Amino acid sequence: ETGVTQSPTHLIKTRGQQVTLRCSSQSGHNTVSWYQQALGQGPQFIFQYYREEENGRGNFPPRFSGLQFPNYSSELNVNALELDDSALYLCASSSEQTAVYEQYFGPGTRLTVT
Amino acid sequence: KQEVTQIPAALSVPEGENLVLNCSFTDSAIYNLQWFRQDPGKGLTSLLLIQSSQREQTSGRLNASLDKSSGRSTLYIAASQPGDSATYLCAVPDNNAGNMLTFGGGTRLMVKP
């Protein structure tokens, strides 16, 4: 069974640029959630995708957007990057088949905005 | 809005000590509670998940308890080892928002040899 994978591992961008982060969900999981974790803080929920539709969104501006593909992999896009977007971005997958919605996290993508 | 708090924020203990990490949440209508471990700069590793109908879960030297009525969970680590040094996070899902997880700020644990 393949776990959750994310790419790239690290990324450095300049303020104002756009970035795309990628996530492959665990085998058999159809739900993907994205979280932002600033240094020294707990993760904050960005949004969730279930069967290619957005299924919940946290308190993040519209410049944070996402996609889920038919194979349940997902992308997080951030436009007009700001310095405060520097963080660890975590992807988690889950499935209603487990009946407990336990979420499995990937290793994260470290984004630095300069 | 659910709020999750973890106390203490940081903890340093000598090897071999038994220790307790605390997690409290404001809305007791939770579906489950998860404890995670995070090594510096890494992703989250799920340690234990307690369903709302359960009172505790055990895995090796770890034991997590859940008291929904008081909005509290504890993670007990027996006979701590230097390899246990990490940040421990608790999280609960919001069943009205796509099962988003609300996390506490974490407890940063250092176990000294």
Side-chain angles (χ1 to χ4, degrees):
Chain A
E1 184 178 86
T2 306
V4 179
T5 60
Q6 292 186 243
S7 63
T9 305
H10 296 92
L11 202 53
I12 300 175
K13 289 287 190 178
T14 303
R15 189 171 49 185
Q17 287 188 315
Q18 178 266 341
V19 69
T20 297
L21 310 182
R22 295 179 175 82
C23 171
S24 291
S25 60
Q26 184 161 316
S27 177
H29 286 185
N30 56 14
T31 302
V32 173
S33 303
W34 286 92
Y35 294 82
Q36 180 196 66
Q37 186 179 25
L39 200 61
Q41 298 181 20
Q44 299 289 318
F45 175 74
I46 303 174
F47 45 56
Q48 182 182 85
Y49 279 83
Y50 170 67
R51 295 186 177 180
E52 303 178 58
E53 298 285 334
E54 188 177 290
N55 187 42
R57 189 178 182 94
N59 189 27
F60 280 81
R63 60 189 185 84
F64 286 78
S65 63
L67 283 173
Q68 187 178 32
F69 300 99
N71 66 355
Y72 302 131
S73 66
S74 177
E75 287 182 354
L76 164 65
N77 299 290
V78 187
N79 294 321
L81 284 167
E82 301 177 359
L83 296 180
D84 284 348
D85 296 334
S86 295
L88 181 67
Y89 288 84
L90 297 164
C91 163
S93 75
S94 59
S95 169
E96 73 271 17
Q97 300 301 320
T98 64
V100 294
Y101 293 101
E102 183 170 7
Q103 298 199 21
Y104 297 82
F105 282 78
T109 293
R110 171 70 63 187
L111 172 65
T112 302
V113 182
T114 62
Chain B
K1 177 189 170 192
Q2 179 75 268
E3 292 183 6
V4 180
T5 304
Q6 290 187 247
I7 296 173
L11 185 61
S12 181
V13 300
E15 182 177 5
E17 270 202 13
N18 301 324
L19 53 98
V20 174
L21 307 182
N22 297 293
C23 171
S24 62
F25 45 94
T26 55
D27 184 349
S28 62
I30 60 170
Y31 195 78
N32 60 49
L33 184 145
Q34 268 186 275
W35 281 94
F36 294 91
R37 169 184 171 138
Q38 186 175 33
D39 293 297
K42 304 294 185 183
L44 307 182
T45 300
S46 181
L47 296 173
L48 291 164
L49 180 144
I50 312 174
Q51 296 188 50
S52 60
S53 58
Q54 299 174 318
R55 292 194 65 82
E56 65 178 63
Q57 280 279 4
T58 298
S59 176
R61 294 181 294 107
L62 304 180
N63 175 276
S65 67
L66 175 63
D67 184 343
K68 279 183 58 178
S69 60
S70 67
R72 293 180 184 176
S73 176
T74 61
L75 179 66
Y76 176 83
I77 303 177
S80 58
Q81 303 171 357
D84 295 331
S85 298
T87 296
Y88 292 81
L89 295 150
C90 67
V92 295
D94 181 335
N95 301 328
N96 296 316
N99 287 301
M100 64 172 255
L101 290 180
T102 299
F103 284 84
T107 294
R108 196 168 57 256
L109 172 65
M110 173 155 309
V111 181
K112 296 180 284 188

